[in-house]
Each structure stands twice: as structure tokens, then as C-alpha cells.
Amino acid sequence: MRQTPPLSVDIDAHADRAVSKPEFADTLSHLAATVCVVSAGKGAGSLGRTVTATFSLSANPPSIVVSIKADSPLASLITAEQGFSLAMLAEGQDLIADAFAGRIEASKRYLVGIWADWPSGRPRLLGAAAALDCQLAASIEVGDHMLFVGTIVATETSTHADPLIWSRRRYQSLDRTRSLPARPSNGHATLTPSKPAA
């Protein structure tokens, strides 16, 4: 793959009108997300970080986006190695999430959890709800973060593990005892006004 410099997007055009950082943090704490670990490198040279800023990008080709602090060693390693792996953590893997969020030093993080390697040599977490290995397709610098687009080249999923969720500044789990009403067969939701409380 030909290495090209990352694109850069200037997001400061309306910075003077933006909400405060505390207001941003409080508001975004309501955004529930699967807790993930992004890794790059091989063997003892591997680096990883806990993230919730990741999303599916396209099915053609299958690809995802992860957001990593631009000046971090992990961002540099993803660029140098031209790829990354991603583990979607399962319920009960909160110690792994804490470790890769910085609770322990970087050199000891892969001692938490059971890790193997993808054929690429990148770290693969065993027991994750799902795991992906990605080749770097593009990178975009936005503010103080890099958005890395990865083409998914290998996957592993669990049929019995539920994802570990981060919402309102704490780990949460899916409540499978409570489900939302089924959608009508035509695929369109029907909105029914609710009665005001008496």
C-alpha cells in the first residue's frame, strides 16, 4: 500500500461558539458505546488503548473508524505499521478496559487478559465479544485526534458474550430481560401519543 500523508480537517471555524468542555463531557456521557481496545504493533512492541470512539463506516469494503489522540505513541505506531486491531470487550472484561485506559503502565497492559496474535502479528484478545484485524486504508487529522479508517481483514465473534457498555461515566451491561416493542411488519415505526399523567 502506498503511504500517503494524512488528510487534515480544521474544526476551529466555530470554536468561539462551542459549549464548554464540562458541558461537552456531561452531555456526551449520555452516549452509550461498546468499550473497545485498539492495538498496534507486534509482540513486546505492541501498544494499546481503551476507546469508545469507534464506528462502522462501510460494508463495501468492510471498514471501521477509530479515533486516537494524534500525538500519542499509538497513533504513530498505527501509521508506521499501516494497521490496527480492535477488541470489543465483553461483560466481565472491565479490568482490561481499566488497564488500557491507563490504570497500569503501557508495558504491562497485555498481561491483563488472554492475548494471542492475528496472522498479521497484531494483538488478538481472547474472550472478547468481537475482535477485528484491520489494514489501514486512510487517516484524517481532526482537531487533536486522528481518525483511522481500517479495512477489516479478519474477524472473530462470540455467540455467548454480551458487550461491555460505557455510559454515564461507568460500565454498564445490556438488560436482556427488558426489550423494546416489536416494529410493525412494514418496517415503519408507528408513533402513538401517550396520555398525560393524571
Side-chain angles (χ1 to χ4, degrees):
M1 177 179 158
R2 185 175 57 116
Q3 197 167 356
T4 58
L7 299 173
S8 181
V9 176
D10 182 8
I11 62 169
D12 292 329
H14 306 289
D16 59 324
R17 299 179 59 202
V19 298
S20 68
K21 285 185 179 179
E23 185 177 351
F24 166 81
D26 287 343
T27 302
L28 270 289
S29 74
H30 293 263
L31 182 64
T34 299
V35 182
C36 299
V37 171
V38 174
S39 296
K42 299 174 181 67
S46 298
L47 293 174
R49 186 73 184 167
T50 299
V51 303
T52 53
T54 181
F55 61 90
S56 168
L57 180 64
S58 173
N60 186 25
S63 52
I64 61 167
V65 174
V66 297
S67 177
I68 304 292
K69 198 90 174 0
D71 62 356
S72 69
L74 178 57
S76 298
L77 189 56
I78 291 172
T79 301
E81 296 283 328
Q82 289 292 288
F84 59 89
S85 60
L86 180 120
M88 300 178 198
L89 300 188
E91 289 180 11
Q93 292 184 323
D94 44 297
L95 291 178
I96 298 170
D98 284 346
F100 283 85
R103 293 275 174 98
I104 66 172
E105 61 185 84
S107 64
K108 296 181 179 176
R109 291 177 186 170
Y110 289 98
L111 299 176
V112 183
I114 302 172
W115 294 85
D117 296 330
W118 290 104
S120 66
R122 289 184 279 271
R124 176 172 61 95
L125 177 64
L126 304 183
L132 314 169
D133 193 28
C134 302
Q135 288 297 122
L136 188 62
S139 55
I140 305 165
E141 188 171 356
V142 182
D144 61 354
H145 277 67
M146 291 293 295
L147 302 182
F148 292 107
V149 179
T151 301
I152 302 168
V153 296
T155 68
E156 183 174 89
T157 59
S158 170
T159 57
H160 61 275
D162 284 331
L164 181 64
I165 305 297
W166 181 257
S167 178
R168 299 199 180 191
R169 298 184 174 92
R170 64 187 176 98
Y171 299 121
Q172 308 223 18
S173 63
L174 294 176
D175 182 359
R176 295 210 181 264
T177 62
R178 188 175 150 248
S179 59
L180 299 175
R183 291 180 182 240
S185 61
N186 64 5
H188 298 288
T190 303
L191 298 177
T192 306
S194 59
K195 285 182 167 180

